[in-house]
Amino acid sequence: MNWKAFLMIGLILTAFTATSALAIEGGNARKGKHLFKKSCKSCHDSGGEGGELTPMSKTMSQWDRYFKKKTDDHPGEVFKTISDKDKKDINQFLHDSAADSPAPATCG
Amino acid sequence: MKKILLCVSVAMLLSITAYATDHSEFIEGPFADATEVTKTCLECHEDAAIDFMKTPHWTWERKQVANGKEVTIGKKNLLNNYCGTVSSNEVHCMECHAGYGWKDKNFDFTDKTRVDCLVCHDTTGTYHKDGDNAGWPKEHVNLEEVAKEVGLPVRQNCNSCHALGGGGNNAKNGDISLVLDYPDRSIDVHMDADGNDFQCQECHKTEDHYIPGANLQTSPDGFNAISCEGCHDAEPHEQSRLNAHAKRVACQTCHIPVYAKEDPTQMDWDWSTGGKDESPAGIDGKIVRYKKTVGTQTWKADQEPSYAWFNGKAGIYLVGDKIDPKVPTPLAWPLGDINDKTAKIHPFKIHTGKQIYDTKNNYLITNHIYGPDAFWTTADWALSAKIGMETSGLPYSGEYGFAPTTMHWRIDHMVAPAEEALGCLDCHGDNGRMDWAALGYKGDPIDGK
């Protein structure tokens, strides 16, 4: 095996480790589903002003990155009222039901 | 009305108590395993395990009279219309036992450290058990974090087993699904998360860890069944005609016009097609589903209940009872008829199935489905039947076939808003939903028949 192969394997392992470390955990996904329907779908339903969003709209890491970054610039008023704990639960639901998750879901 | 106000007041008091007890001050980890958490809980809650170990949530059996004889029965030793029997399949089934490590007949029911406090008292929603390790929590569960956040059970705790048991969300009951985690008013007026927000123990009033309720199959004697009259008056309507109905018609009949709201429930499980590499015809993957390991299943949402007289007691199939394989064998069915003055017309889900049976001895087989030598792994009916019967101790001829079975399930949850309750014509109209002849009437009783 040459050095290029070692480098490639190393990069893959690093990327995998980084992705795993970033993954959301500790949120209540079942409560998050309720909160997503109740709070988010008011704007993010079909035809809504925020554009339709379902868990399958993004991948697991995309959802995690969104909630990890500063979300104060979200234009929706409802979003600003959601507590950090509730956001974590919503993030967990969206992550667990994302397009590349073991159980992708269109509900919400 | 006074009773309702009292219920709400007690609920509020209990809620305040729950929030007031911050367990993070008392709990210190890390914990080597889940039994260490239990030991910590019992340091303060000294009698909790002693009380809990007396209940069917721990024993999975109870001495009672069924089919006219005294028996000790429960989930532990009955045969149902889904995965069959617990016997020889404990490692899988104990995902829903509130204990740790019940993997075979040698489980120590006197070991208090094996009580699983967290499955009912977790408030984080992160505590999960698996169907492959005899009721131990999944490896990734942060036991310390969960233990620090314990509180009174909420619907999500109960649903983890009562909604998911039997092979998927709402597989069994029909009226208990994950939609009840946080339902809106149209799903259930009592549990409406933005309204009454009743938790299960509002009606299943719990004392010393004993949770009342009477599943048709495991409590055929009807012991400690829940009644609407626990909160509502026996004559709750303004109209006397409706109150007169309440004498022979259960509240649930009019007030739960539809079950399996949002989440479909399993209506049929045909094991006879299992084990084949090619799925049979008619599989659409949604309503009718096929897997080699389980055979064919039919799932439906928004179901109109079936109706039968019910006096609170049930008949059940006991392991070893003879069957006639040419006709459906009922495994649990309501007792009572039109002449039984204690019986009322009650809504039910009727689940149908086809199950493996001994063609020479003419009784259902206690099948071995979970494990390296079991049907889900080998797809070998002959082997799994042999092992399953050896474990349960029932003589086995070695010859098997498949016979039709049925199982009634009480419909008690998913109570609709009053304005959606059944109206007169829903039962007494030209296309009414009641099968009057099956109920013992000569015709619609409104015509004096």
Side-chain angles (χ1 to χ4, degrees):
Chain A
M1 196 180 291
N2 60 31
W3 67 273
K4 285 183 180 174
F6 273 116
L7 182 63
M8 185 60 71
I9 291 169
L11 285 171
I12 291 169
L13 285 174
T14 305
F16 176 78
T17 308
T19 307
S20 301
L22 286 171
I24 178 79
E25 58 183 27
N28 183 343
R30 282 159 62 182
K31 188 174 185 186
K33 178 179 180 179
H34 164 67
L35 294 168
F36 179 71
K37 289 168 73 173
K38 183 180 171 185
S39 303
C40 307
K41 292 301 274 186
S42 56
C43 293
H44 290 293
D45 211 351
S46 175
E49 60 181 317
E52 185 178 19
L53 278 179
T54 76
M56 285 183 65
S57 301
K58 297 183 188 300
T59 63
M60 292 188 286
S61 57
Q62 283 175 329
W63 283 123
D64 289 352
R65 278 202 299 276
Y66 178 77
F67 281 90
K68 196 173 177 62
K69 75 174 187 180
K70 198 165 178 246
T71 52
D72 291 348
D73 58 347
H74 189 288
E77 288 303 313
V78 176
F79 194 87
K80 293 180 174 61
T81 67
I82 302 173
S83 69
D84 288 344
K85 172 71 178 72
D86 286 352
K87 281 180 186 167
K88 187 176 183 181
D89 293 341
I90 294 170
N91 186 178
Q92 190 75 60
F93 164 63
L94 294 169
H95 170 99
D96 293 355
S97 309
D100 59 341
S101 72
T106 56
C107 57
Chain B
M1 190 62 191
K2 282 180 181 172
K3 286 182 179 175
I4 293 174
L5 285 173
L6 182 62
C7 285
V8 172
S9 304
V10 170
M12 291 174 71
L13 188 62
L14 287 173
S15 301
I16 291 165
T17 308
Y19 286 120
T21 312
D22 179 1
H23 281 74
S24 64
E25 295 175 17
F26 320 127
I27 306 286
E28 199 168 330
F31 297 102
D33 66 34
T35 63
E36 296 297 320
V37 178
T38 304
K39 286 177 191 168
T40 305
C41 300
L42 296 179
E43 285 175 15
C44 294
H45 302 277
E46 295 169 0
D47 295 331
I50 296 169
D51 291 338
F52 181 72
M53 289 160 83
K54 297 172 187 167
T55 75
H57 274 95
W58 173 256
T59 62
W60 277 24
E61 66 178 7
R62 181 169 64 79
K63 187 184 284 188
Q64 57 187 300
V65 174
N67 302 354
K69 56 185 172 185
E70 190 171 273
V71 288
T72 301
I73 52 163
K75 293 169 72 70
K76 186 180 182 178
N77 56 6
L78 287 170
L79 201 155
N80 71 34
N81 226 18
Y82 292 80
C83 292
T85 51
V86 164
S87 172
S88 86
N89 302 305
E90 287 92 344
V91 173
H92 177 70
C93 301
M94 294 316 146
E95 178 181 6
C96 276
H97 181 239
Y100 302 127
W102 181 357
K103 62 179 180 180
D104 55 31
K105 289 178 178 174
N106 298 318
F107 181 67
D108 183 359
F109 285 94
T110 67
D111 184 351
K112 288 187 273 191
T113 68
R114 296 301 181 106
V115 171
D116 182 352
C117 309
L118 299 179
V119 72
C120 299
H121 293 284
D122 166 43
T123 67
T124 69
T126 63
Y127 184 79
H128 301 296
K129 304 201 349 159
D130 237 338
D132 60 4
N133 62 356
W136 293 97
K138 287 184 179 179
E139 278 186 13
H140 68 72
V141 172
N142 185 328
L143 292 171
E144 183 177 0
E145 195 171 293
V146 173
K148 282 177 180 288
E149 298 291 329
V150 290
L152 283 177
V154 295
R155 292 183 298 271
Q156 185 167 336
N157 298 95
C158 306
N159 277 347
S160 292
C161 283
H162 290 283
L164 296 176
N169 181 21
N170 205 15
K172 280 184 173 175
N173 294 272
D175 63 341
I176 303 178
S177 78
L178 293 185
V179 75
L180 295 184
D181 280 357
Y182 301 93
D184 62 25
R185 185 170 175 270
S186 70
I187 300 291
D188 188 290
V189 288
H190 299 114
M191 295 186 249
D192 173 15
D194 294 321
N196 291 318
D197 201 19
F198 281 9
Q199 304 305 319
C200 302
Q201 56 269 39
E202 282 294 329
C203 298
H204 298 263
K205 295 184 191 311
T206 303
E207 195 171 335
D208 297 333
H209 282 88
Y210 180 85
I211 306 168
N215 172 282
L216 208 63
Q217 187 188 38
T218 53
S219 292
D221 64 349
F223 178 68
N224 266 340
I226 304 300
S227 164
C228 302
E229 281 89 359
C231 287
H232 298 279
D233 295 329
E235 296 185 340
H237 307 99
E238 290 180 8
Q239 291 289 329
S240 60
R241 177 65 64 192
L242 295 179
N243 287 332
H245 272 71
K247 290 183 173 59
R248 298 309 306 270
V249 180
C251 308
Q252 295 92 320
T253 297
C254 298
H255 291 278
I256 312 177
V258 173
Y259 66 91
K261 295 176 183 174
E262 280 198 20
D263 296 335
T265 186
Q266 191 187 108
M267 299 302 292
D268 184 83
W269 188 337
D270 180 357
W271 278 96
S272 72
T273 60
K276 298 182 174 76
D277 288 325
E278 283 189 23
S279 61
I283 305 298
D284 64 13
K286 288 184 178 177
I287 294 175
V288 187
R289 309 169 190 176
Y290 179 79
K291 276 170 70 175
K292 181 180 178 181
T293 49
V294 298
T296 309
Q297 299 178 341
T298 303
W299 294 72
K300 292 181 179 175
D302 299 320
Q303 290 296 289
E304 190 176 288
S306 302
Y307 299 96
W309 290 103
F310 181 41
N311 63 15
K313 298 186 189 307
I316 58 168
Y317 178 86
L318 295 168
V319 170
D321 282 353
K322 295 286 183 182
I323 68 167
D324 177 354
K326 294 188 290 295
V327 298
T329 297
L331 305 186
W333 65 96
L335 297 180
D337 58 41
I338 191 170
N339 299 314
D340 180 347
K341 298 303 178 194
T342 66
K344 293 184 178 184
I345 296 172
H346 197 284
F348 293 92
K349 162 187 164 177
I350 303 177
H351 182 268
T352 56
K354 268 189 188 168
Q355 298 217 44
I356 189 168
Y357 81 103
D358 185 323
T359 55
K360 289 194 173 166
N361 287 313
N362 276 335
Y363 45 55
L364 295 173
I365 285 173
T366 52
N367 202 25
H368 181 42
I369 57 166
Y370 183 83
D373 53 356
F375 185 76
W376 284 353
T377 307
T378 65
D380 184 339
W381 282 115
L383 179 64
S384 54
K386 180 174 175 288
I387 297 171
M389 294 295 262
E390 282 172 359
T391 309
S392 67
L394 207 58
Y396 178 45
S397 71
E399 303 290 326
Y400 69 88
F402 293 88
T405 51
T406 66
M407 194 170 177
H408 277 70
W409 290 84
R410 294 175 57 139
I411 297 298
D412 295 310
H413 308 92
M414 298 191 173
V415 177
E419 61 271 21
E420 293 174 19
L422 294 184
C424 306
L425 295 178
D426 287 313
C427 298
H428 299 290
D430 292 339
N431 298 306
R433 59 171 65 193
M434 290 292 161
D435 183 346
W436 298 118
L439 289 167
Y441 293 97
K442 291 176 182 169
D444 188 338
I446 204 169
D447 298 323
K449 295 178 180 174

